[in-house]
Amino acid sequence: MEQATTLTVRNVPERRRYELSDSDTVIGKAHYLPYDGGRGPERIFYHTTVSEDYAGQGLAARLVQDALDDTLDAGIAVVPVCPYVKLWLRKHPDYQQRAALVRPEHLAALENAQR
């Protein structure tokens, strides 16, 4: 008999990412950089991954939706730099309308953060 899994998504601000967990095992991550360039708080989502062992189950979509819901509910704008987040937004126009446009200063902030 197959054991039921318990999937959860939670924000881990000290690591600047949302984590998708199966019980106690982290199986996916949506990384972001907090940014405030004078237009209010934003989260630049720049990288999303899900363990290959869990591929093909729609879990990246769940991770991104939960992360974006939490971000938007907190009054923080979503800046989609991550290719997967961009693709997900294209498939969900109701969210796409609420996403901020990627500006050069967002890309510069990411570059500076990775140094």
Side-chain angles (χ1 to χ4, degrees):
M1 180 181 244
E2 194 172 311
Q3 204 172 16
T5 59
T6 305
L7 297 174
T8 57
V9 175
R10 70 183 181 105
N11 186 11
V12 185
E14 63 275 12
R15 293 186 178 163
R16 299 187 314 201
R17 68 186 187 199
Y18 283 84
E19 293 180 346
L20 171 65
S21 298
D22 180 0
S23 299
D24 293 331
T25 304
V26 175
I27 61 170
K29 301 169 190 161
H31 298 267
Y32 64 83
L33 178 67
Y35 182 79
D36 192 340
R39 299 181 185 200
E42 298 175 316
R43 280 190 185 140
I44 305 169
F45 283 87
Y46 64 91
H47 187 62
T48 304
T49 59
V50 172
S51 170
E52 286 186 27
D53 294 340
Y54 291 82
Q57 299 178 39
L59 297 179
R62 174 172 174 183
L63 171 58
V64 167
Q65 182 170 358
D66 286 2
L68 298 189
D69 282 344
D70 186 63
T71 298
L72 294 167
D73 289 349
I76 301 170
V78 169
V79 180
V81 173
C82 169
Y84 184 83
V85 173
K86 286 182 188 180
L87 177 65
W88 190 90
L89 284 169
R90 271 189 236 124
K91 295 178 180 180
H92 299 86
D94 48 324
Y95 284 83
Q96 189 174 20
Q97 295 170 358
R98 298 165 57 195
L101 293 175
V102 177
R103 300 184 309 273
E105 54 265 34
H106 292 131
L107 301 177
L110 279 175
E111 187 174 315
N112 290 334
Q114 293 174 355
R115 288 184 184 169

